[in-house]
Amino acid sequence: MSKYYLNYLDELESEAIYILREVWAQFQNPVILFSGGKDSILVTHLAKKAFYPSKIPFPLLHVDTGHNFPETIQFRDDLITELGVQLIVGSVQESIDAGRVAEEKGKNATRNALQITTLLDAIESNKIDCAIGGGRRDEEKARAKERFFSHRDDFGQWDPKNQRPELWNLLNGKHFEGEHFRAFPISNWTEMDVWNYIKREDIKIPSLYLAHQREVVWRSDTWIPVSEHLKLDENEKIETKKIRFRTLGDITITGGIESDADTLEKIVAEVSAMKQTERGNRSDDKRSETAMEDRKRQGYF
């Protein structure tokens, strides 16, 4: 009797597709959290595979901070048109205008934490019972604590000590009115897995991930891109560098690395030699040792 062995990428793909189908089976109104970054693009691609030849059966939800890379927004709009799926947009600027959140002030001000209120408002107003994210356990220690199905209480908060066991791939999505779940189908993927899969599947990605010339300033031990939202100090000097971004967030907090990796093959080679996590260039994660976990407890991602 012959045996059939899956390639490790096929195993990860199969696991993710199983989780996506479980979400569709157990929840009434799920969405994909879409940022325009590689992980949310990967989750969307996997959802396309999971339900082919039908369209992706749930909308994409984007929390728009107003401080996005223009390239990211253009990529999002092009992908929505290509897939023919619904896009729900939660606006941080509208939350600010309505007095729901207060804009941070100062040189290192960011709208990253303000996304929490906007996201929870969007979940409540659209009666979303499961938000599918692209979080991976290798990214950060708070994300390493996540289960595939992450329960959130009626305030949208996360309690890492009160999550449900997931034995033998049994996922429990039962919840009371007002509660919801976050689902993370690519939890077991690494950054290298993501890039190898993107390369294998020839998935379109924003040009920001490829090395290119860009005006930047050196701040918080990383190259921050120059934009209309960046407030410069007198001693900060604008330079033009060939850089790429390993992770995408707000343009004000996403640091780039100097790189010549302008193809997927070169990115894979570069990532294989990296010793720092991809979120090491995110200034929002450097505010404290527990910055990510604090935001997650409040309802972030």
Side-chain angles (χ1 to χ4, degrees):
M1 180 178 177
S2 62
K3 294 183 179 180
Y4 176 71
Y5 295 96
L6 288 176
N7 172 276
Y8 82 100
L9 288 178
D10 292 328
E11 283 193 46
L12 291 170
E13 178 190 74
S14 178
E15 178 182 66
I17 287 175
Y18 166 75
I19 293 162
L20 286 163
R21 288 173 176 167
E22 278 293 300
V23 169
W24 184 239
Q26 294 195 38
F27 296 96
Q28 298 298 315
N29 192 27
V31 298
I32 293 176
L33 294 173
F34 189 83
S35 67
K38 67 182 185 308
D39 297 319
S40 62
I41 292 169
L42 171 59
V43 170
T44 304
H45 176 83
L46 290 165
K48 182 180 175 182
K49 273 197 163 187
F51 301 102
Y52 184 83
S54 298
K55 290 183 179 179
I56 297 173
F58 26 74
L60 272 56
L61 169 61
H62 179 221
V63 178
D64 184 358
T65 64
H67 288 176
N68 301 285
F69 285 90
E71 297 95 327
T72 304
I73 297 299
Q74 185 61 55
F75 185 92
R76 178 201 72 183
D77 293 343
D78 291 344
L79 184 63
I80 290 296
T81 300
E82 177 186 332
L83 295 176
V85 297
Q86 179 188 0
L87 174 66
I88 300 171
V89 178
S91 170
V92 171
Q93 185 61 56
E94 290 181 6
S95 298
I96 294 171
D97 294 342
R100 296 280 293 149
V101 293
E103 182 97 65
E104 290 185 7
K105 306 295 181 183
K107 168 186 171 182
N108 295 314
T110 170
R111 289 185 170 184
N112 198 46
L114 307 189
Q115 296 178 85
I116 297 171
T117 298
T118 305
L119 173 58
L120 294 178
D121 285 350
I123 286 173
E124 182 177 4
S125 62
N126 291 279
K127 301 186 185 307
I128 294 165
D129 54 2
C130 183
I132 306 163
R136 307 190 327 270
R137 294 188 177 114
D138 79 316
E139 289 182 274
E140 204 272 343
K141 55 189 177 184
R143 292 187 173 177
K145 299 177 183 180
E146 283 285 18
R147 305 290 172 89
F148 287 122
F149 276 18
S150 176
H151 176 263
R152 304 301 169 102
D153 64 21
D154 50 358
F155 293 101
Q157 296 175 327
W158 173 64
D159 181 0
K161 295 181 179 180
N162 192 29
Q163 295 296 313
R164 298 167 185 182
E166 294 180 345
L167 306 175
W168 305 290
N169 290 329
L170 297 176
L171 306 175
N172 183 358
K174 293 182 179 179
H175 59 285
F176 293 108
E177 185 71 26
E179 299 176 343
H180 72 278
F181 274 76
R182 310 288 171 87
F184 300 102
I186 62 170
S187 285
N188 287 334
W189 297 53
T190 66
E191 183 185 11
M192 178 62 84
D193 296 333
V194 171
W195 283 117
N196 277 326
Y197 188 82
I198 287 174
K199 177 176 173 290
R200 187 185 83 169
E201 300 285 303
D202 195 24
I203 300 172
K204 295 178 184 176
I205 56 171
S207 60
L208 297 163
Y209 284 113
L210 303 173
H212 59 286
Q213 296 291 333
R214 195 176 194 110
E215 289 189 336
V216 290
V217 297
W218 185 251
R219 179 185 291 183
S220 301
D221 297 323
T222 189
W223 292 108
I224 300 294
V226 174
S227 71
E228 60 181 316
H229 307 296
L230 188 68
K231 297 179 181 179
L232 297 177
D233 283 346
E234 292 182 1
N235 61 341
E236 287 184 322
K237 177 184 176 184
I238 296 176
E239 301 183 53
T240 300
K241 296 282 185 178
K242 189 175 183 181
I243 63 167
R244 76 174 192 87
F245 300 94
R246 292 177 68 191
T247 178
L248 297 183
D250 270 9
I251 196 169
T252 57
I253 59 172
T254 303
I257 59 171
E258 291 190 70
S259 172
D260 290 317
D262 53 6
T263 66
L264 290 176
E265 289 78 10
K266 291 180 181 178
I267 288 176
V268 169
E270 183 178 82
V271 170
S272 67
M274 289 287 185
K275 295 183 178 180
Q276 183 186 46
T277 174
E278 64 197 278
R279 293 194 68 91
N281 291 86
R282 290 284 290 270
S283 61
D284 54 325
D285 288 346
K286 298 179 181 180
R287 292 192 167 192
S288 74
E289 289 188 0
T290 61
M292 171 66 81
E293 180 152 341
D294 292 341
R295 295 198 305 273
K296 282 180 68 63
R297 286 180 180 272
Q298 296 165 13
Y300 175 79
F301 206 48

